[in-house]
Amino acid sequence: QDVALFLQEFNAPDIFMGVFAKSKCPRLTEICVGILGNMACFQDICMSISKDENLGQVLLQRLCDSDSPTLLETSRLLLTCLSQPEVANVWVERIRENPSVYDCVCFIMSSSTNVELLVKVGEVVDKLFDLDEELMLNWIKNGTCRSVGPSVDDSPEELPDFKIVPCILEAAKQVRSDNPEGLDVYMHILQLLTTVDEGIQAIVQAPDGGKETWSLLYDLVCHELCQPDDPPIVVQEQKTVLASILSVLSAMFASQTEQESTKMRKSKSCFFSDMPLIGSLIRILQYMEGYGKRSVDNSKESEQQETGRADLNEEDFHLKILKDICCELLSNMLQELTKENTLEGLHQGHLNEQTCSCAFQNLLPLYFASVESFLEVLREADQTLADSLEKRFPSLKVHA
């Protein structure tokens, strides 16, 4: 902090402004932006930097740079400022009034292979959307006009007509295998989009009807996260990314189910009523039960410290959110199953007495109608299994 105050006293930000205006050396620019980012970690200096309108505009222009290290330092600086409540609104308003930021961010997300840069840019977008719904709506509706983007050798380059959802998906594909935290960030961005109708429509009304989004999220849930050979504790480690993914899938499923045309229902049946996904949802619930029992056993063995209790409560809260989202999606999918789907699930092993019991245990009594609807279809596919489940859950038999 002493160094930062010393630099501020000798007007380092003004010196850096001169560097940005005249330097042709990418490394010098990177260093200057990085020093500003370090200085911005301290509240008073961050406020001083943020209130300088000229400096603010120049820094946003750095997002149009073609140099990855400079882009990384610029994104880090922006995230630092956006994380300071006293100045966050200044930057949100500045970004909202600067349309080129949208184009530059989309360009980075859709074309960069630098995982570290993609993660940091994702964190900036996530923070922006979380802070300001109006800006998020503007970016969802954007992409209707072309604008000037990154320049190489001072020659303006016309950017493609970017849409926010495909750019987010492309970035998520780049980070998924190398950076779990980065994947978590991009999944949360998608979840934030589904908090507004315009965001859901942007996802499901893409040229492919949302199939690319569904396929990516489906692949993550069914083939990467919370797999059969993982220990139950994995559900605690992956709870936030799973909650984001399932929230988006749930919003997409509900949106498609609301469509009344035959064409849309056929589209839904092609990739929405998928038994492996139902099997994965039930497995997540099973792992949550297994992890819950383990946590209870551990708490009996040793007395928790007060801070430990606080962490456990927060952990339980996030797991409860995951369970609620998982149950909502599972209930909606079970309600849409046909006899053919159910027979397929029985044949593939996704549906059996153990998995169905787990599903019913978690869905009842809140989703009674969905369970009852599924049980009627199950009777047609496997009467013996349906009878056995009715015995295990008397409330269903009495109601029937």
Side-chain angles (χ1 to χ4, degrees):
Q1 187 172 7
D2 290 341
V3 174
L5 290 168
F6 174 82
L7 289 169
Q8 186 185 34
E9 183 182 349
F10 285 89
N11 301 317
D14 291 339
I15 297 173
F16 297 155
M17 282 278 285
V19 173
F20 298 148
K22 297 181 180 180
S23 175
K24 299 293 183 181
C25 176
R27 296 288 68 75
L28 180 57
T29 303
E30 174 203 352
I31 290 169
C32 292
V33 177
I35 293 172
L36 278 174
N38 292 341
M39 294 172 67
C41 292
F42 306 103
Q43 183 178 329
D44 291 343
I45 301 177
C46 184
M47 291 181 68
S48 175
I49 292 173
S50 300
K51 289 178 180 178
D52 187 331
E53 187 62 31
N54 290 332
L55 180 58
Q57 293 298 332
V58 169
L59 288 172
L60 289 184
Q61 289 172 12
R62 293 299 95 209
L63 285 174
C64 295
D65 207 297
S66 58
D67 180 62
S68 291
T70 300
L71 289 171
L72 177 59
E73 292 303 326
T74 304
S75 302
R76 186 172 70 86
L77 170 58
L78 288 176
L79 184 62
T80 301
C81 294
L82 289 168
S83 300
Q84 298 267 11
E86 296 79 11
V87 298
N89 289 338
V90 174
W91 286 98
V92 169
E93 186 64 29
R94 191 173 284 153
I95 291 170
R96 191 190 296 144
E97 293 174 353
N98 196 327
S100 66
V101 174
Y102 169 86
D103 291 309
C104 295
V105 166
C106 285
F107 182 78
I108 294 168
M109 290 194 297
S110 62
S111 61
S112 178
T113 56
N114 185 319
V115 171
E116 190 178 3
L117 172 59
L118 287 172
V119 172
K120 195 59 65 177
V121 168
E123 290 175 342
V124 171
V125 174
D126 188 41
K127 192 69 175 177
L128 282 171
F129 286 3
D130 197 35
L131 286 170
D132 193 83
E133 186 176 293
E134 182 183 344
L135 183 141
M136 182 172 71
L137 287 168
N138 289 341
W139 282 25
I140 291 170
K141 297 171 185 175
N142 216 326
T144 56
C145 60
R146 295 179 181 272
S147 59
V148 175
S151 60
V152 180
D153 298 330
D154 296 328
S155 300
E157 180 181 316
E158 195 176 68
L159 290 177
D161 192 15
F162 287 119
K163 300 288 187 183
I164 191 69
V165 173
C167 295
I168 293 169
L169 292 179
E170 189 59 37
K173 291 174 187 176
Q174 282 290 330
V175 305
R176 65 184 289 187
S177 57
D178 297 322
N179 195 300
E181 292 79 13
L183 180 64
D184 199 343
V185 168
Y186 279 99
M187 293 302 101
H188 190 254
I189 294 172
L190 281 177
Q191 182 184 5
L192 287 174
L193 291 183
T194 64
T195 61
V196 293
D197 290 339
E198 293 86 348
I200 297 174
Q201 296 309 310
I203 293 173
V204 300
Q205 290 185 358
D208 63 356
K211 192 166 185 177
E212 185 180 359
T213 304
W214 183 275
S215 297
L216 173 63
L217 304 188
Y218 166 87
D219 193 44
L220 288 169
V221 174
C222 295
H223 301 131
E224 287 191 23
L225 302 173
C226 204
Q227 292 303 290
D229 54 347
D230 290 330
I233 194 174
V234 75
V235 78
Q236 191 276 328
E237 297 170 350
Q238 300 173 352
K239 59 185 180 294
T240 55
V241 68
L242 280 170
S244 295
I245 293 172
L246 297 185
S247 181
V248 177
L249 291 175
S250 185
M252 292 180 70
F253 188 89
S255 176
Q256 291 285 21
T257 303
E258 289 172 3
Q259 303 295 329
E260 296 180 355
S261 69
T262 305
K263 179 181 178 182
M264 294 304 291
R265 286 201 172 274
K266 285 182 179 178
S267 173
K268 176 175 72 65
S269 66
C270 289
F271 63 98
F272 281 86
S273 299
D274 201 296
M275 290 310 307
L277 179 56
I278 290 177
S280 295
L281 294 175
I282 295 174
R283 182 168 62 250
I284 291 170
L285 292 173
Q286 288 175 319
Y287 279 22
M288 290 180 75
E289 290 179 353
Y291 178 72
K293 290 175 182 177
R294 177 179 171 276
S295 297
V296 170
D297 291 341
N298 288 343
S299 66
K300 289 179 180 178
E301 291 176 9
S302 61
E303 191 173 6
Q304 298 278 338
Q305 297 293 327
E306 286 301 318
T307 54
R309 288 196 188 100
D311 291 340
L312 186 62
N313 289 337
E314 183 179 353
E315 180 182 295
D316 289 345
F317 174 74
H318 287 296
L319 286 172
K320 183 181 185 304
I321 291 175
L322 173 59
K323 180 181 177 180
D324 291 345
I325 296 170
C326 188
C327 287
E328 181 182 6
L329 177 56
L330 179 60
S331 69
N332 287 335
M333 295 193 75
L334 289 179
Q335 202 161 19
E336 294 290 318
L337 288 182
T338 63
K339 178 182 177 182
E340 290 72 23
N341 298 141
T342 305
L343 286 169
E344 178 189 356
L346 292 167
H347 176 71
Q348 294 176 348
H350 299 299
L351 296 178
N352 53 47
E353 186 165 354
Q354 183 184 12
T355 59
C356 288
S357 294
C358 176
F360 287 14
Q361 185 72 41
N362 285 277
L363 294 178
L364 293 172
L366 185 60
Y367 297 102
F368 187 92
S370 296
V371 173
E372 191 176 40
S373 172
F374 168 66
L375 193 59
E376 290 179 9
V377 175
L378 185 61
R379 284 194 190 98
E380 300 177 25
D382 189 332
Q383 181 69 50
T384 304
L385 177 56
D387 290 342
S388 178
L389 289 169
E390 278 189 340
K391 291 179 182 178
R392 295 190 67 169
F393 298 90
S395 61
L396 292 170
K397 190 172 184 180
V398 170
H399 209 78

